[in-house]
Amino acid sequence: MLKLGVLASGRGSNFQAILDAIRDGRLKAQVQVLITDNPQAYAIQRARAAGVEALFIDPKGFSSRDDFYVRIAEELRARGVELVLLAGFMRIVRRPLLEAFPMRVMNIHPALLPSFPGLHGQAQAAQYGVKISGCTVHFVDEGVDTGPVIIQAAVPVAPQDTEESLAERILALEHKIYPEAVRLFAEGRLRVEGRRVLIEGYQLPQGVLVNPPLTA
Ligand code: GAR
């Protein structure tokens, strides 16, 4: 059984999607601990409801940002965590955690990377006027949303979309692809070669997506 550690700063709906996939038997894994940098995070309630340990680590309690991540890595290791999931963790992860878990930290981002990295990916996409956006699950490296891409999913964008309407459409897909990426990892089907993540048994989907659809 794959042992997970989840890092979240807020609402935690992606954390919930992981918990639900485990509960429904779609994902053979267990969450050892939720770590948060925010004592008000709703993710804490979700952890409690699922019987998962919730641990608040105050970033202000450390003399350097690296030390904060040294501590997080220690807590994860002490619980036997094998894969770390960032689920709305609103900080840039630093080297001590990445070195403790090389290619073992995943993130979900609400845009089709490398477009619109950083904060408010949905607002960036809506403002830019792209016709298609989506979400990305990727391994985390030292950059901001720059690590190897595991899964992406696309949604159409309408000119009248707001940050909120687009975020809602994207979030529904986030909740599908994050558990799926973790499942592929748990099944040992992901192999990282440079920037590319090879997925064992992957079939290229047929057809093309055009937005707006072509008229006949
Ligand atoms: C999600 O939309 C996630 O993709 C995004 O924050 C939201 C967290 O929601 N993450 C980032 O923007 C990371 N750069 P959640 O707390 O309900 O999972």
Side-chain angles (χ1 to χ4, degrees), residues 172-192:
L173 273 188
E174 293 184 39
H175 296 163
K176 290 198 165 74
I177 68 169
Y178 211 1
E180 177 66 9
V182 178
R183 186 176 70 85
L184 291 170
F185 183 97
E187 291 174 356
R189 291 170 59 193
L190 300 181
R191 202 169 78 241
V192 183

Side-chain angles (χ1 to χ4, degrees), residues 125-177:
Q127 278 155 22
Y128 193 94
V130 292
K131 297 282 196 257
I132 294 174
S133 191
C135 46
T136 304
V137 182
H138 63 96
F139 285 113
V140 177
D141 64 11
E142 281 185 61
V144 177
D145 301 322
T146 52
V149 170
I150 303 165
I151 302 188
Q152 294 186 304
V155 298
V157 185
Q160 58 273 25
D161 262 317
T162 60
E163 172 175 12
E164 291 73 29
S165 64
L166 183 56
E168 189 183 332
R169 197 173 306 129
I170 291 173
L171 192 65
L173 273 188
E174 293 184 39
H175 296 163
K176 290 198 165 74
I177 68 169

Side-chain angles (χ1 to χ4, degrees), residues 19-74:
L19 291 171
D20 292 350
I22 292 171
R23 186 200 55 209
D24 299 349
R26 283 176 284 136
L27 178 58
K28 301 221 175 341
Q30 62 194 54
V31 181
Q32 300 294 101
V33 64
L34 166 80
I35 297 180
T36 184
D37 58 346
N38 170 16
Q40 313 300 335
Y42 188 68
I44 295 171
Q45 317 303 322
R46 299 183 191 273
R48 292 211 177 112
V52 169
E53 180 192 5
L55 187 61
F56 164 57
I57 303 182
D58 189 349
K60 294 195 211 86
F62 298 86
S63 52
S64 78
R65 271 187 281 169
D66 274 5
D67 286 350
F68 174 59
Y69 289 101
V70 168
R71 173 71 182 286
I72 290 177
E74 282 169 4

Side-chain angles (χ1 to χ4, degrees), residues 64-67 69 92-99 142:
S64 78
R65 271 187 281 169
D66 274 5
D67 286 350
Y69 289 101
I92 296 165
V93 169
R94 290 173 71 96
R95 193 173 287 176
L97 181 59
L98 299 174
E99 284 178 350
E142 281 185 61

Side-chain angles (χ1 to χ4, degrees), residues 197-209:
V197 179
L198 308 182
I199 302 174
E200 197 185 292
Y202 172 78
Q203 304 277 333
L204 194 65
Q206 298 301 305
V208 289
L209 170 65

Side-chain angles (χ1 to χ4, degrees), residues 11-14 87-88 90 108-110 118 122 145 171 174:
R11 178 178 60 180
S13 72
N14 277 289
M90 294 308 189
I108 179 103
H109 182 77
Q122 309 96 328
D145 301 322
L171 192 65
E174 293 184 39

